[in-house]
Amino acid sequence: MAHHKIVTLERHIIEGERSHPGATGNFSNILRDLSLAIKIIWREVSKAGLVNILGATGTENIHGDQVKKLDVLADDVIYKAMDHTGHLCVMGSEEHEEILKIPTNYPKGKYVLLYDPLDGSSNIDANVSIGTIFSLYRRITPNGDGTLEDCIQPGYKQIAAGYVVYGSSTMLVYTTGDGVHGFTLDPSIGEFLLSHENIQIPKRGKIYSVNEGNYKWWDSGVKKYIKYLQEEDKPTNRPYSGRYIGSMIADVHRTLLYGGIFLYPGDSRNPNGKLRLMYEGNPIAYIMEQAGGRAIDGSRRILDVVPKKLHQKTPVFVGSEEDVTICEKFLKEG
Ligand code: P6P
């Protein structure tokens, strides 16, 4: 029987680094450390349903431990897994207004990690898939403690980005600029194994993903685009299907694998929408483009937006190249 190559996340990164002459091995160490944090988060998320038995959030569980909100726990786990490694000069978390300094007693490195520890965690009580999202940048400042300037770089400066979707199986999807690769966690050995090499998003899909409850506040271009998707006259000769999970990583992951478009537009109440540029827009945009898709904020590439604030929001239109291009035309016509 032909044995499939068993490619762990670590092996894939190291083999990838060999094709990057300048690679210094730091990146494989960073992803290894991050994947440990992710496995700890996976363990907590997978027993979340048992919290009531083990103790509801904010109370003590049967072991007498304080049960933390899962997003607070995930945030803490990532920070503590990364703060001492000597690879990072600063971090930024979607859960914290300010940048997160590296403790003074630890060495500072040349990278910056931005992360959303548990996106969509409001859905966890309904057992809906949620996700962890991360972005890696090279520092701008020469040395010492990283600064806000190191954290608010445009998305095209990312050297790596990825997400984890904690669902029926737990998958880690990442890019370092050489395509997008998916790994599935084998819980029996606690390893992420390569399961989706070089993911390419279909050039056009048949699914659109948006919260239609915001319809009345959308710009006319968005309204006309969604109405267009619901008409017959397309190559598929049938309307698109609507699929909205309301957990961005789950909606983005389905869009990446099946094609179509995920959109969170700005509207008359929130011109920049709800999703955050640094923590959601940029990492997802990098992955979508690396998979042959597109990612715009309505008028330009998300990766070209020059950030002004760490938590600024951005409209998001991401997915199959042809779908985003058609959407862009409707947005431009208004
Ligand atoms: P709405 C989850 O709370 C989240 O941040 C994303 O994961 C998700 O895409 C979005 O908000 C859903 O927002 O307004 O449609 O409920």
Side-chain angles (χ1 to χ4, degrees):
M1 179 182 83
H3 278 277
H4 286 289
K5 260 195 319 182
I6 294 186
V7 180
T8 61
L9 179 60
E10 199 153 6
R11 173 176 170 181
H12 194 263
I13 297 158
I14 288 167
E15 288 178 349
E17 283 186 338
R18 283 191 199 130
S19 61
H20 276 260
T24 57
N26 288 341
F27 179 60
S28 54
N29 295 338
I30 291 171
L31 258 191
R32 183 202 53 229
D33 297 335
L34 194 53
S35 66
L36 171 67
I38 289 164
K39 291 178 209 171
I40 295 171
I41 294 168
W42 165 76
R43 183 191 61 198
E44 295 307 312
V45 166
S46 27
K47 72 184 181 191
L50 298 172
V51 156
N52 296 330
I53 298 166
L54 298 173
T57 311
T59 61
E60 290 199 350
N61 64 22
I62 49 177
H63 310 294
D65 308 328
Q66 279 300 317
V67 179
K68 285 182 185 168
K69 270 173 66 67
L70 277 171
D71 45 7
V72 171
L73 177 137
D75 179 59
D76 204 34
V77 161
I78 293 175
Y79 181 81
K80 292 226 171 56
M82 306 306 291
D83 66 352
H84 56 279
T85 61
H87 297 302
L88 306 177
C89 63
V90 67
M91 289 186 247
S93 165
E94 197 268 349
E95 294 282 327
H96 295 266
E97 201 51 40
E98 306 302 327
I99 62 173
L100 301 174
K101 290 195 172 303
I102 302 299
T104 43
N105 54 320
Y106 290 141
K108 315 297 180 280
K110 59 182 181 186
Y111 297 97
V112 177
L113 178 71
L114 302 184
Y115 61 91
D116 184 351
L118 213 50
D119 184 82
S121 53
S122 55
N123 294 292
I124 195 150
D125 293 342
N127 211 14
V128 167
S129 298
I130 54 180
T132 296
I133 315 167
F134 62 90
S135 260
L136 205 62
Y137 294 82
R138 201 165 273 106
R139 71 180 302 167
I140 292 176
T141 53
N143 49 37
D145 275 347
T147 66
L148 178 62
E149 183 198 3
D150 289 307
C151 295
I152 51 174
Q153 301 181 48
Y156 67 82
K157 294 275 187 99
Q158 287 174 99
I159 55 168
Y163 63 78
V164 180
V165 50
Y166 305 98
S168 42
S169 65
T170 291
M171 269 194 73
L172 183 146
V173 174
Y174 89 102
T175 184
T176 58
D178 276 346
V180 177
H181 311 287
F183 296 77
T184 301
L185 181 64
D186 178 340
S188 65
I189 54 172
E191 282 288 354
F192 279 104
L193 303 180
L194 184 63
S195 53
H196 298 66
E197 184 154 29
N198 200 20
I199 299 174
Q200 289 289 305
I201 184 171
K203 284 300 165 202
R204 180 158 189 178
K206 302 193 279 281
I207 298 170
Y208 74 96
S209 186
V210 68
N211 181 345
E212 305 211 34
N214 296 330
Y215 182 85
K216 66 183 279 190
W217 294 292
W218 288 342
D219 299 342
S220 63
V222 177
K223 289 182 177 174
K224 288 176 186 166
Y225 176 58
I226 297 300
K227 283 296 163 214
Y228 157 76
L229 293 178
Q230 294 168 344
E231 283 152 11
E232 305 279 330
D233 61 345
K234 285 183 289 304
T236 53
N237 286 323
R238 64 179 298 279
Y240 275 41
S241 292
R243 291 282 185 279
Y244 193 68
I245 303 169
S247 181
M248 186 193 75
I249 287 304
D251 282 315
V252 162
H253 188 60
R254 184 210 48 248
T255 305
L256 180 68
L257 294 182
Y258 293 1
I261 186 167
F262 168 77
L263 49 157
Y264 205 112
D267 63 33
S268 53
R269 299 164 305 170
N270 308 300
N272 287 320
K274 173 181 184 182
L275 301 178
R276 293 162 195 265
L277 172 65
M278 300 312 293
Y279 297 102
E280 291 156 319
N282 277 334
I284 296 313
Y286 189 22
I287 288 171
M288 281 293 176
E289 291 198 359
Q290 280 288 312
R294 292 192 65 199
I296 61 174
D297 68 355
S299 53
R300 68 207 136 154
R301 282 172 84 216
I302 288 174
L303 295 182
D304 286 338
V305 175
V306 178
K308 293 185 178 55
K309 288 202 165 42
L310 188 55
H311 289 270
Q312 74 184 61
K313 301 194 175 155
T314 177
V316 169
F317 305 84
V318 299
S320 296
E321 181 187 2
E322 291 177 23
D323 288 302
V324 175
T325 300
I326 293 166
C327 174
E328 189 178 39
K329 285 196 182 71
F330 278 87
L331 300 179
K332 286 199 161 61
E333 281 161 19

